[in-house]
Amino acid sequence: VKDPRRIVAAKRDGETLAPVDIEAFVGAYARGEISDALAAAFLMACLLRGMDASETLALTRTMVASGDTVSFRGLDRPTVDKHSTGGVADGVTLVFAPVAAALGLAVAKLSGRGLGHTGGTLDKLESIPGLRTDLSPSQIERQVASVGCAIAAQSPTLVPADGAVYALRDATATVPSVPLIAASVMSKKLAVETDLILLDVKTGSGAFMKTTAEAEALVRACLELARGWGRSAAAAVTDMSQPLGDAVGNALDVAEAVEVLRGAQRGRLRRLTVLFAARALETLHGIAHEEASAAAERSLDEGTALDRFRRMVEAQGGDPRVADDPWSVLPRAPVRMPIQPDRGGVLSAVDAEEIGLASNALGAGRVRKGDPVDPAVGIVLRPKVGERLEAGEQVGEVHARSEAEGTEAVRRVLGALTVGDDPVQPPPLVHEWYG
Ligand code: URA
Protein backbone atom coordinates (compact mmCIF):
# COMPACT_ATOMS: atom_id res chain seq x y z
CA VAL A 1 0.00 0.00 0.00
CA LYS A 2 1.04 3.57 -0.67
CA ASP A 3 2.69 5.50 2.16
CA PRO A 4 -0.10 7.95 3.13
CA ARG A 5 2.48 10.75 3.40
CA ARG A 6 2.89 10.56 -0.38
CA ILE A 7 -0.82 11.35 -0.80
CA VAL A 8 -0.49 14.38 1.47
CA ALA A 9 2.67 15.48 -0.34
CA ALA A 10 0.96 15.23 -3.73
CA LYS A 11 -1.89 17.47 -2.58
CA ARG A 12 0.58 19.80 -0.89
CA ASP A 13 2.32 20.18 -4.24
CA GLY A 14 -0.94 20.99 -6.01
CA GLU A 15 -1.56 17.68 -7.76
CA THR A 16 -5.02 16.28 -8.40
CA LEU A 17 -5.44 13.12 -6.34
CA ALA A 18 -6.70 9.88 -7.83
CA PRO A 19 -10.04 8.73 -6.37
CA VAL A 20 -8.39 5.54 -5.07
CA ASP A 21 -5.89 7.57 -3.09
CA ILE A 22 -8.60 9.70 -1.49
CA GLU A 23 -10.62 6.58 -0.68
CA ALA A 24 -7.57 4.86 0.81
CA PHE A 25 -6.50 7.85 2.89
CA VAL A 26 -9.87 8.91 4.28
CA GLY A 27 -11.04 5.33 4.76
CA ALA A 28 -7.88 4.54 6.75
CA TYR A 29 -8.26 7.68 8.86
CA ALA A 30 -11.86 6.76 9.71
CA ARG A 31 -10.65 3.30 10.80
CA GLY A 32 -8.08 4.89 13.11
CA GLU A 33 -5.11 3.80 11.01
CA ILE A 34 -3.84 7.32 10.25
CA SER A 35 -2.87 9.85 12.93
CA ASP A 36 -4.74 13.10 13.53
CA ALA A 37 -1.50 14.93 12.69
CA LEU A 38 -1.20 13.45 9.22
CA ALA A 39 -4.93 13.79 8.54
CA ALA A 40 -4.83 17.45 9.60
CA ALA A 41 -1.97 18.03 7.15
CA PHE A 42 -4.08 16.36 4.45
CA LEU A 43 -7.10 18.54 5.22
CA MET A 44 -5.04 21.72 5.24
CA ALA A 45 -3.48 20.79 1.91
CA CYS A 46 -6.99 20.17 0.49
CA LEU A 47 -8.21 23.48 1.90
CA LEU A 48 -5.29 25.48 0.48
CA ARG A 49 -4.94 23.70 -2.87
CA GLY A 50 -8.61 22.99 -3.50
CA MET A 51 -10.23 19.81 -4.84
CA ASP A 52 -11.85 19.37 -8.22
CA ALA A 53 -15.23 17.72 -8.87
CA SER A 54 -13.77 14.22 -9.18
CA GLU A 55 -11.84 14.56 -5.91
CA THR A 56 -14.91 15.95 -4.13
CA LEU A 57 -16.97 13.06 -5.47
CA ALA A 58 -14.37 10.53 -4.26
CA LEU A 59 -14.31 12.10 -0.80
CA THR A 60 -18.10 12.09 -0.60
CA ARG A 61 -18.34 8.50 -1.83
CA THR A 62 -15.80 7.37 0.78
CA MET A 63 -17.79 9.03 3.53
CA VAL A 64 -21.12 7.54 2.46
CA ALA A 65 -19.57 4.09 1.98
CA SER A 66 -17.96 4.19 5.44
CA GLY A 67 -21.32 3.32 7.02
CA ASP A 68 -24.82 2.01 6.36
CA THR A 69 -27.58 3.88 4.60
CA VAL A 70 -31.09 4.60 5.81
CA SER A 71 -34.11 4.15 3.56
CA PHE A 72 -37.83 4.59 3.98
CA ARG A 73 -39.50 2.22 1.56
CA GLY A 74 -43.13 1.64 2.45
CA LEU A 75 -43.56 4.88 4.36
CA ASP A 76 -46.94 6.51 3.66
CA ARG A 77 -45.53 10.07 3.47
CA PRO A 78 -42.85 11.72 1.34
CA THR A 79 -39.51 12.28 3.07
CA VAL A 80 -37.46 15.44 3.21
CA ASP A 81 -34.03 16.33 4.58
CA LYS A 82 -32.69 19.82 5.21
CA HIS A 83 -29.19 20.97 6.06
CA SER A 84 -27.47 24.25 6.74
CA THR A 85 -23.87 24.89 5.76
CA GLY A 86 -23.37 26.51 9.15
CA GLY A 87 -24.30 29.75 10.85
CA VAL A 88 -24.71 31.67 14.09
CA ALA A 89 -28.06 31.49 15.96
CA ASP A 90 -29.11 29.15 13.17
CA GLY A 91 -31.77 27.05 14.86
CA VAL A 92 -33.74 26.37 11.67
CA THR A 93 -33.41 22.57 11.87
CA LEU A 94 -34.81 22.43 15.42
CA VAL A 95 -37.98 24.12 14.16
CA PHE A 96 -38.11 22.83 10.59
CA ALA A 97 -38.14 19.11 11.45
CA PRO A 98 -41.25 19.26 13.68
CA VAL A 99 -43.00 21.76 11.38
CA ALA A 100 -42.52 19.52 8.35
CA ALA A 101 -43.66 16.49 10.38
CA ALA A 102 -46.79 18.38 11.43
CA LEU A 103 -47.46 19.10 7.74
CA GLY A 104 -47.55 15.41 6.86
CA LEU A 105 -43.96 15.04 5.67
CA ALA A 106 -41.34 12.77 7.17
CA VAL A 107 -38.01 14.31 8.16
CA ALA A 108 -34.93 12.18 8.61
CA LYS A 109 -31.79 14.08 9.24
CA LEU A 110 -28.17 13.58 10.17
CA SER A 111 -26.89 16.77 11.75
CA GLY A 112 -23.50 17.94 12.93
CA ARG A 113 -21.87 19.32 16.05
CA GLY A 114 -20.43 22.79 16.47
CA LEU A 115 -17.96 23.55 13.72
CA GLY A 116 -15.58 26.51 13.82
CA HIS A 117 -17.50 29.55 15.01
CA THR A 118 -20.89 28.00 14.15
CA GLY A 119 -23.21 26.08 16.43
CA GLY A 120 -24.20 22.46 15.86
CA THR A 121 -27.72 21.06 16.00
CA LEU A 122 -26.53 17.94 17.87
CA ASP A 123 -24.81 19.94 20.62
CA LYS A 124 -27.94 22.05 20.97
CA LEU A 125 -30.29 19.06 21.17
CA GLU A 126 -28.05 17.27 23.66
CA SER A 127 -28.51 20.15 26.10
CA ILE A 128 -31.94 18.58 26.72
CA PRO A 129 -31.40 16.18 29.64
CA GLY A 130 -31.41 12.55 28.52
CA LEU A 131 -31.65 13.24 24.79
CA ARG A 132 -29.60 10.92 22.55
CA THR A 133 -28.56 11.50 18.97
CA ASP A 134 -26.62 8.25 18.40
CA LEU A 135 -29.58 6.54 16.73
CA SER A 136 -29.09 3.39 14.66
CA PRO A 137 -30.49 3.23 11.12
CA SER A 138 -33.40 1.09 12.29
CA GLN A 139 -34.17 3.44 15.19
CA ILE A 140 -34.25 6.36 12.73
CA GLU A 141 -36.58 4.43 10.43
CA ARG A 142 -38.94 3.50 13.28
CA GLN A 143 -38.97 6.99 14.78
CA VAL A 144 -39.67 8.63 11.44
CA ALA A 145 -42.59 6.25 10.92
CA SER A 146 -44.08 6.90 14.36
CA VAL A 147 -43.26 10.57 15.10
CA GLY A 148 -42.53 11.97 11.64
CA CYS A 149 -39.06 13.32 12.43
CA ALA A 150 -35.68 12.26 13.78
CA ILE A 151 -32.40 14.16 14.15
CA ALA A 152 -29.37 11.92 14.54
CA ALA A 153 -25.58 12.00 14.51
CA GLN A 154 -22.87 10.43 12.45
CA SER A 155 -22.00 7.24 14.33
CA PRO A 156 -19.89 4.10 13.90
CA THR A 157 -22.67 2.87 11.57
CA LEU A 158 -23.66 6.13 9.85
CA VAL A 159 -21.13 8.16 7.85
CA PRO A 160 -18.39 7.52 10.44
CA ALA A 161 -15.77 8.98 8.09
CA ASP A 162 -17.54 12.33 8.13
CA GLY A 163 -17.82 12.09 11.91
CA ALA A 164 -14.05 11.64 12.18
CA VAL A 165 -13.08 14.28 9.61
CA TYR A 166 -15.66 16.76 10.91
CA ALA A 167 -14.29 16.67 14.47
CA LEU A 168 -10.73 17.07 13.22
CA ARG A 169 -11.63 20.00 10.94
CA ASP A 170 -13.24 21.79 13.89
CA ALA A 171 -10.01 21.46 15.89
CA THR A 172 -7.56 22.34 13.11
CA ALA A 173 -8.89 25.45 11.33
CA THR A 174 -9.72 23.42 8.23
CA VAL A 175 -13.42 24.19 7.91
CA PRO A 176 -13.96 26.93 5.27
CA SER A 177 -13.41 24.98 2.07
CA VAL A 178 -16.06 24.44 -0.62
CA PRO A 179 -15.15 20.79 -1.35
CA LEU A 180 -14.72 19.84 2.33
CA ILE A 181 -18.06 21.39 3.28
CA ALA A 182 -19.85 19.98 0.22
CA ALA A 183 -18.57 16.44 0.89
CA SER A 184 -19.40 16.70 4.59
CA VAL A 185 -22.91 18.05 4.10
CA MET A 186 -23.80 15.83 1.16
CA SER A 187 -22.40 12.60 2.62
CA LYS A 188 -24.90 12.97 5.46
CA LYS A 189 -27.71 13.67 2.98
CA LEU A 190 -26.81 10.88 0.57
CA ALA A 191 -26.62 8.29 3.34
CA VAL A 192 -30.32 8.90 4.07
CA GLU A 193 -32.58 8.19 1.13
CA THR A 194 -35.16 10.98 1.18
CA ASP A 195 -37.35 12.28 -1.64
CA LEU A 196 -36.03 15.83 -1.35
CA ILE A 197 -32.88 17.47 -0.01
CA LEU A 198 -33.13 21.17 0.90
CA LEU A 199 -29.88 23.03 1.45
CA ASP A 200 -29.57 26.28 3.34
CA VAL A 201 -26.29 27.71 2.06
CA LYS A 202 -25.33 30.61 4.27
CA THR A 203 -23.45 33.69 3.16
CA GLY A 204 -22.12 36.66 5.11
CA SER A 205 -20.07 37.47 8.21
CA GLY A 206 -21.33 34.48 10.20
CA ALA A 207 -21.04 31.94 7.38
CA PHE A 208 -18.01 30.03 6.13
CA MET A 209 -18.70 31.49 2.70
CA LYS A 210 -18.41 35.24 3.21
CA THR A 211 -19.58 36.26 -0.27
CA THR A 212 -22.54 35.19 -2.41
CA ALA A 213 -20.09 34.12 -5.15
CA GLU A 214 -18.43 31.65 -2.75
CA ALA A 215 -21.84 30.48 -1.54
CA GLU A 216 -22.90 29.87 -5.15
CA ALA A 217 -19.78 27.75 -5.68
CA LEU A 218 -20.82 25.68 -2.66
CA VAL A 219 -24.37 25.37 -4.05
CA ARG A 220 -22.97 24.10 -7.36
CA ALA A 221 -20.73 21.55 -5.65
CA CYS A 222 -23.58 20.24 -3.49
CA LEU A 223 -26.18 20.10 -6.27
CA GLU A 224 -23.72 18.35 -8.57
CA LEU A 225 -23.22 15.64 -5.96
CA ALA A 226 -26.99 15.27 -5.55
CA ARG A 227 -27.43 14.98 -9.32
CA GLY A 228 -24.70 12.35 -9.52
CA TRP A 229 -26.58 10.25 -6.95
CA GLY A 230 -29.88 10.78 -8.77
CA ARG A 231 -31.34 12.67 -5.81
CA SER A 232 -33.72 15.60 -5.96
CA ALA A 233 -32.30 18.70 -4.28
CA ALA A 234 -32.80 22.45 -4.08
CA ALA A 235 -30.66 25.07 -2.40
CA ALA A 236 -31.17 28.61 -1.17
CA VAL A 237 -28.35 31.07 -0.55
CA THR A 238 -29.53 32.81 2.63
CA ASP A 239 -28.37 35.72 4.73
CA MET A 240 -25.86 35.11 7.50
CA SER A 241 -24.58 38.69 7.70
CA GLN A 242 -25.94 38.72 11.26
CA PRO A 243 -27.10 36.02 13.69
CA LEU A 244 -30.33 34.55 12.31
CA GLY A 245 -32.18 34.19 15.60
CA ASP A 246 -31.39 35.80 18.93
CA ALA A 247 -29.75 32.90 20.80
CA VAL A 248 -26.17 31.69 20.35
CA GLY A 249 -25.20 28.70 22.48
CA ASN A 250 -26.83 25.33 23.11
CA ALA A 251 -29.62 25.34 25.72
CA LEU A 252 -30.28 28.96 24.75
CA ASP A 253 -30.94 27.89 21.15
CA VAL A 254 -33.29 25.14 22.28
CA ALA A 255 -35.24 27.61 24.43
CA GLU A 256 -35.49 29.96 21.45
CA ALA A 257 -36.64 27.13 19.16
CA VAL A 258 -39.41 26.34 21.65
CA GLU A 259 -40.48 30.00 21.60
CA VAL A 260 -40.73 29.83 17.80
CA LEU A 261 -42.55 26.48 17.97
CA ARG A 262 -45.04 27.96 20.47
CA GLY A 263 -45.79 30.70 17.96
CA ALA A 264 -44.50 33.26 20.46
CA GLN A 265 -41.41 34.43 18.56
CA ARG A 266 -41.71 36.02 15.12
CA GLY A 267 -38.76 37.36 13.17
CA ARG A 268 -36.15 36.00 10.80
CA LEU A 269 -35.67 32.53 12.31
CA ARG A 270 -39.39 31.79 12.00
CA ARG A 271 -39.62 33.34 8.54
CA LEU A 272 -36.74 31.31 7.12
CA THR A 273 -38.06 28.09 8.65
CA VAL A 274 -41.49 28.73 7.14
CA LEU A 275 -39.88 29.33 3.74
CA PHE A 276 -38.08 25.97 3.83
CA ALA A 277 -41.14 24.09 5.08
CA ALA A 278 -43.29 25.72 2.39
CA ARG A 279 -40.75 24.79 -0.26
CA ALA A 280 -40.89 21.16 0.90
CA LEU A 281 -44.69 21.12 0.77
CA GLU A 282 -44.76 22.75 -2.65
CA THR A 283 -42.30 20.25 -4.09
CA LEU A 284 -43.55 17.08 -2.43
CA HIS A 285 -47.30 17.72 -2.26
CA GLY A 286 -47.68 20.11 -5.22
CA ILE A 287 -49.25 22.77 -3.02
CA ALA A 288 -49.09 26.43 -4.12
CA HIS A 289 -46.61 28.65 -2.29
CA GLU A 290 -49.11 30.86 -0.41
CA GLU A 291 -51.12 27.90 0.78
CA ALA A 292 -47.99 25.99 1.81
CA SER A 293 -46.66 29.00 3.77
CA ALA A 294 -50.00 29.46 5.49
CA ALA A 295 -50.02 25.79 6.52
CA ALA A 296 -46.50 26.11 7.97
CA GLU A 297 -47.49 29.29 9.85
CA ARG A 298 -50.56 27.50 11.25
CA SER A 299 -48.48 24.59 12.53
CA LEU A 300 -46.56 27.12 14.65
CA ASP A 301 -49.57 29.12 15.79
CA GLU A 302 -51.75 26.09 16.60
CA GLY A 303 -49.16 24.00 18.45
CA THR A 304 -49.08 21.02 16.08
CA ALA A 305 -45.35 21.54 15.38
CA LEU A 306 -44.60 21.91 19.09
CA ASP A 307 -46.38 18.62 19.69
CA ARG A 308 -44.14 16.88 17.12
CA PHE A 309 -41.08 18.43 18.80
CA ARG A 310 -42.21 17.08 22.19
CA ARG A 311 -42.69 13.61 20.73
CA MET A 312 -39.33 13.70 18.92
CA VAL A 313 -37.54 14.70 22.14
CA GLU A 314 -39.29 11.93 24.07
CA ALA A 315 -38.59 9.31 21.40
CA GLN A 316 -34.88 10.21 21.61
CA GLY A 317 -34.84 9.83 25.40
CA GLY A 318 -35.03 13.53 26.27
CA ASP A 319 -37.20 15.19 28.89
CA PRO A 320 -40.36 16.23 26.99
CA ARG A 321 -41.14 18.96 29.52
CA VAL A 322 -38.66 21.05 27.53
CA ALA A 323 -41.49 21.70 25.07
CA ASP A 324 -43.76 23.20 27.74
CA ASP A 325 -41.40 24.92 30.15
CA PRO A 326 -37.84 24.86 28.71
CA TRP A 327 -36.09 26.34 31.73
CA SER A 328 -37.58 23.78 34.08
CA VAL A 329 -35.25 21.22 32.50
CA LEU A 330 -32.48 23.05 30.58
CA PRO A 331 -29.20 23.86 32.34
CA ARG A 332 -28.66 27.51 33.24
CA ALA A 333 -25.34 29.32 33.52
CA PRO A 334 -24.53 30.79 36.94
CA VAL A 335 -23.65 34.30 35.66
CA ARG A 336 -25.85 36.55 33.52
CA MET A 337 -24.60 39.94 32.34
CA PRO A 338 -26.46 42.55 30.29
CA ILE A 339 -25.25 43.74 26.89
CA GLN A 340 -25.68 47.52 26.68
CA PRO A 341 -24.19 49.58 23.85
CA ASP A 342 -22.80 52.91 25.00
CA ARG A 343 -23.80 54.65 21.78
CA GLY A 344 -27.26 55.00 20.28
CA GLY A 345 -28.04 54.88 16.57
CA VAL A 346 -28.90 52.45 13.82
CA LEU A 347 -27.41 48.95 13.90
CA SER A 348 -25.70 48.88 10.51
CA ALA A 349 -23.57 45.70 10.67
CA VAL A 350 -22.85 42.72 12.90
CA ASP A 351 -19.70 40.59 12.84
CA ALA A 352 -21.59 37.35 13.36
CA GLU A 353 -18.43 35.20 13.29
CA GLU A 354 -17.03 37.20 16.22
CA ILE A 355 -20.24 36.60 18.15
CA GLY A 356 -20.01 32.87 17.45
CA LEU A 357 -16.39 32.88 18.59
CA ALA A 358 -17.29 34.82 21.75
CA SER A 359 -19.93 32.18 22.53
CA ASN A 360 -17.41 29.40 21.92
CA ALA A 361 -14.91 31.12 24.23
CA LEU A 362 -17.57 30.99 26.95
CA GLY A 363 -17.50 27.20 26.50
CA ALA A 364 -20.36 26.65 24.01
CA GLY A 365 -17.90 25.21 21.45
CA ARG A 366 -14.80 23.05 21.50
CA VAL A 367 -11.11 23.97 21.47
CA ARG A 368 -9.70 20.44 21.16
CA LYS A 369 -11.22 17.45 19.45
CA GLY A 370 -13.56 15.57 21.75
CA ASP A 371 -13.87 18.40 24.31
CA PRO A 372 -17.26 18.51 26.01
CA VAL A 373 -19.32 21.63 25.32
CA ASP A 374 -20.94 23.64 28.09
CA PRO A 375 -24.67 23.42 27.32
CA ALA A 376 -25.66 26.39 29.48
CA VAL A 377 -23.45 29.26 28.32
CA GLY A 378 -23.88 31.58 25.35
CA ILE A 379 -25.19 34.89 24.15
CA VAL A 380 -28.62 36.37 23.52
CA LEU A 381 -28.57 39.38 21.19
CA ARG A 382 -31.91 40.73 19.97
CA PRO A 383 -31.45 43.66 17.56
CA LYS A 384 -31.20 43.06 13.83
CA VAL A 385 -29.52 45.19 11.18
CA GLY A 386 -31.54 48.33 10.40
CA GLU A 387 -33.02 48.64 13.91
CA ARG A 388 -32.48 51.63 16.17
CA LEU A 389 -30.65 51.17 19.50
CA GLU A 390 -30.61 53.58 22.43
CA ALA A 391 -27.40 54.22 24.38
CA GLY A 392 -27.44 52.09 27.54
CA GLU A 393 -30.43 50.02 26.40
CA GLN A 394 -30.17 46.32 27.22
CA VAL A 395 -30.04 44.54 23.87
CA GLY A 396 -29.26 41.07 25.16
CA GLU A 397 -27.27 39.17 27.74
CA VAL A 398 -24.28 36.93 28.14
CA HIS A 399 -24.67 33.63 30.01
CA ALA A 400 -21.31 32.64 31.50
CA ARG A 401 -19.53 30.40 34.00
CA SER A 402 -17.68 33.31 35.62
CA GLU A 403 -17.78 37.12 35.84
CA ALA A 404 -14.42 37.36 34.10
CA GLU A 405 -15.55 35.25 31.12
CA GLY A 406 -18.84 37.13 30.98
CA THR A 407 -17.16 40.53 30.96
CA GLU A 408 -14.88 39.47 28.12
CA ALA A 409 -17.84 38.15 26.08
CA VAL A 410 -19.82 41.39 26.60
CA ARG A 411 -16.78 43.33 25.37
CA ARG A 412 -16.46 41.12 22.29
CA VAL A 413 -20.16 41.31 21.42
CA LEU A 414 -20.19 45.12 21.70
CA GLY A 415 -17.08 45.23 19.50
CA ALA A 416 -18.91 43.14 16.89
CA LEU A 417 -21.72 45.70 16.50
CA THR A 418 -21.44 48.68 14.15
CA VAL A 419 -23.81 51.49 15.10
CA GLY A 420 -24.19 54.47 12.77
CA ASP A 421 -26.42 57.45 12.20
CA ASP A 422 -27.89 56.73 8.78
CA PRO A 423 -30.84 54.45 8.07
CA VAL A 424 -29.86 50.98 6.82
CA GLN A 425 -31.99 48.54 4.83
CA PRO A 426 -32.26 45.12 6.50
CA PRO A 427 -30.52 42.48 4.35
CA PRO A 428 -32.79 40.13 2.39
CA LEU A 429 -33.47 36.81 4.11
CA VAL A 430 -32.98 34.77 0.93
CA HIS A 431 -30.66 35.85 -1.86
CA GLU A 432 -31.58 33.17 -4.41
CA TRP A 433 -33.04 29.69 -4.87
CA TYR A 434 -31.31 27.09 -7.06
CA GLY A 435 -32.50 23.75 -8.34
N1 URA B 1 -22.27 21.34 7.97
C1 URA B 1 -21.71 20.13 7.78
O1 URA B 1 -22.35 19.12 8.00
N2 URA B 1 -20.46 20.07 7.36
C2 URA B 1 -19.71 21.15 7.11
O2 URA B 1 -18.57 21.02 6.73
C3 URA B 1 -20.29 22.43 7.31
C4 URA B 1 -21.58 22.48 7.74
Side-chain angles (χ1 to χ4, degrees):
V1 292
K2 199 172 197 170
D3 183 335
R5 287 173 298 183
R6 284 182 51 204
I7 299 173
V8 177
K11 185 41 86 184
R12 177 198 66 202
D13 296 339
E15 291 172 28
T16 301
L17 299 178
V20 285
D21 286 344
I22 293 174
E23 282 158 21
F25 190 96
V26 175
Y29 177 62
R31 291 190 300 275
E33 295 162 10
I34 283 181
S35 69
D36 280 356
L38 187 57
F42 172 79
L43 292 169
M44 189 59 85
C46 292
L47 182 142
L48 294 174
R49 291 295 197 170
M51 298 174 95
D52 70 12
S54 77
E55 293 173 297
T56 310
L57 176 64
L59 178 58
T60 310
R61 191 180 290 137
T62 308
M63 286 171 162
V64 176
S66 68
D68 297 334
T69 51
V70 183
S71 63
F72 298 97
R73 292 194 189 90
L75 202 67
D76 54 355
R77 285 152 288 166
T79 47
V80 58
D81 196 349
K82 112 105 200 28
H83 204 93
S84 160
T85 58
V88 177
D90 176 13
V92 172
T93 289
L94 295 175
V95 184
F96 172 88
V99 166
L103 295 175
L105 304 172
V107 184
K109 178 162 167 44
L110 297 181
S111 284
R113 299 190 179 280
L115 192 60
H117 65 276
T118 70
T121 302
L122 300 176
D123 291 333
K124 294 173 190 177
L125 271 176
E126 287 173 0
S127 68
I128 303 171
L131 189 135
R132 305 192 57 140
T133 57
D134 57 345
L135 311 181
S136 69
S138 60
Q139 277 174 311
I140 295 173
E141 286 160 25
R142 276 200 307 276
Q143 186 175 320
V144 166
S146 62
V147 178
C149 51
I151 301 176
Q154 315 100 327
S155 68
T157 49
L158 282 167
V159 275
D162 176 59
V165 171
Y166 193 99
L168 187 61
R169 286 169 60 218
D170 181 40
T172 57
T174 49
V175 177
S177 145
V178 166
L180 295 182
I181 296 175
S184 166
V185 167
M186 294 309 290
S187 64
K188 290 191 281 295
K189 308 301 95 183
L190 298 169
V192 180
E193 287 173 16
T194 53
D195 300 311
L196 176 65
I197 299 167
L198 292 178
L199 300 172
D200 182 359
V201 179
K202 303 288 189 192
T203 184
S205 63
F208 296 119
M209 302 294 123
K210 304 293 184 204
T211 65
T212 48
E214 290 171 301
E216 281 164 12
L218 182 53
V219 166
R220 277 195 300 277
C222 291
L223 292 184
E224 192 167 324
L225 289 166
R227 247 192 317 277
W229 255 262
R231 295 280 300 276
S232 161
V237 172
T238 72
D239 177 60
M240 187 32 74
S241 65
Q242 59 181 332
L244 178 63
D246 300 348
V248 186
N250 294 300
L252 292 167
D253 283 70
V254 170
E256 179 173 40
V258 170
E259 284 302 288
V260 177
L261 285 161
R262 287 200 309 120
Q265 180 173 317
R266 309 256 147 192
R268 292 169 77 88
L269 172 57
R270 169 171 165 137
R271 277 171 49 215
L272 190 62
T273 310
V274 164
L275 279 175
F276 274 98
R279 178 79 184 208
L281 262 191
E282 286 169 66
T283 310
L284 294 170
H285 277 319
I287 294 176
H289 180 74
E290 279 70 37
E291 201 185 321
S293 299
E297 303 267 6
R298 270 199 309 279
S299 77
L300 294 170
D301 295 332
E302 294 175 358
T304 53
L306 184 65
D307 185 52
R308 295 289 170 151
F309 179 76
R310 185 186 293 107
R311 287 167 61 193
M312 175 177 77
V313 167
E314 193 161 29
Q316 295 188 209
D319 191 330
R321 286 175 300 174
V322 73
D324 305 301
D325 185 5
W327 292 114
S328 70
V329 300
L330 292 173
R332 273 184 190 277
V335 174
R336 278 170 77 165
M337 300 177 83
I339 301 170
Q340 293 163 301
D342 51 18
R343 173 198 197 294
V346 176
L347 183 62
S348 59
V350 181
D351 182 345
E353 176 165 351
E354 176 64 6
I355 290 174
L357 290 172
S359 171
N360 282 357
L362 288 165
R366 297 174 180 78
V367 177
R368 281 170 302 268
K369 208 182 114 178
D371 278 353
V373 298
D374 186 334
V377 298
I379 294 160
V380 175
L381 179 68
R382 295 185 197 88
K384 299 294 173 222
V385 167
E387 290 176 17
R388 173 158 280 286
L389 316 179
E390 303 302 328
E393 173 192 356
Q394 182 171 342
V395 295
E397 59 268 337
V398 161
H399 297 238
R401 277 288 141 207
S402 69
E403 294 265 341
E405 288 173 347
T407 304
E408 172 62 6
V410 169
R411 187 192 68 73
R412 288 181 75 168
V413 172
L414 289 174
L417 307 181
T418 307
V419 180
D421 296 319
D422 298 329
V424 175
Q425 278 298 320
L429 196 53
V430 175
H431 291 280
E432 190 86 61
W433 275 97
Y434 300 82

